[in-house]
Amino acid sequence: NPPVNDRKIVTDYFDTVTAVEPPHTKHLKEQSTVPIMPTPENFAPILIGTPDIPAFEEQHLLHFTPDKLEQVRHDIDKTQTTNLTLAVLLSKVVLQADIQAFNSMPKWSYVMFPYDCRKSTGIPTMYSGNLSFSAIAPLESQAVLDGSGKELAQAIKEHCSKTSGEYAKSTIDTIENEIGVLFQAGASLCNSANSSYVGLSNLRYLPLYSIDFGYGGPEILSCDYFVREGMSRIYANKQDGGIDLVMNIKDNLFEYLKTSEELLKYADVIF
């Protein structure tokens, strides 16, 4: 079928859906330190007029061979997907780097997977507009540090499988009506003394269909996901069949990360 760009397809679908608030939205509201504020009227022109997020220039590259990538999955939980177990590894080692860099342990750690809701809703797959949403797992840092990989994988999966149309409708309502939650998301989804953060994504145009997030193969995503601090992007390495992982992470944090024995069991640091 040819692509369709009529936005009415999306609005007609969501008019039939009852919103269900995802757990991460409830969490962000509870953590918010700013007064509750409604989204201003005519918010769309404000968003359109806002300058693009500048590209995050502090990037680093890791390489995982196919054998080491499979070893990550086997060591953490061989019943789970590669992306999920990779997220577990990264959440643990990035938290450890944050603790070293900031000399304290943040209370919360966050894992985020962007997803395309065409796969989990009644919106036709031929719709060509952007339908990327964020599946977020808010985790207590102490549990990330001390818990087993299997326990952490299950916790992330429980949160990040909330990708139905009901959850997507709630996200839209939040964006349109509760701008304070967006401010809190920006304050939380970063690496600081207050939070640890790993975002993990891949691109649909690369041959990564054997790797998925637990709800299907990689889909087209909004490019603004890729310029933010804390995001990691998976690319296929055609030379050995492994993956290259581009990490948007500050240089001072990477100084701790590149010496992590837990990470170096599986990954080669390229730069």
Side-chain angles (χ1 to χ4, degrees), residues 159-205:
H159 281 285
C160 292
S161 61
K162 304 279 192 290
T163 61
S164 70
E166 290 80 7
Y167 292 115
K169 174 67 176 295
S170 176
T171 299
I172 293 171
D173 290 345
T174 299
I175 292 171
E176 292 181 346
N177 300 303
E178 299 180 84
I179 193 173
V181 179
L182 303 185
F183 280 109
Q184 186 58 40
S188 299
L189 302 184
C190 63
N191 289 288
S192 69
N194 300 314
S195 61
S196 184
Y197 173 55
V198 169
L200 189 62
S201 180
N202 51 14
L203 299 171
R204 72 174 295 190
Y205 298 113

Side-chain angles (χ1 to χ4, degrees), residues 36-83:
I36 296 175
M37 64 181 82
T39 300
E41 293 185 10
N42 300 317
F43 189 46
I46 298 174
L47 283 179
I48 294 172
T50 302
D52 291 339
I53 301 172
F56 191 86
E57 296 182 355
E58 295 173 80
Q59 296 187 337
H60 298 276
L61 179 63
L62 303 178
H63 176 67
F64 293 79
T65 66
D67 289 344
K68 290 295 186 180
L69 196 60
E70 179 60 21
Q71 191 65 45
V72 172
R73 195 177 68 86
H74 187 275
D75 290 349
I76 291 174
D77 187 347
K78 61 185 179 182
T79 68
Q80 303 293 354
T81 65
T82 304
N83 278 6

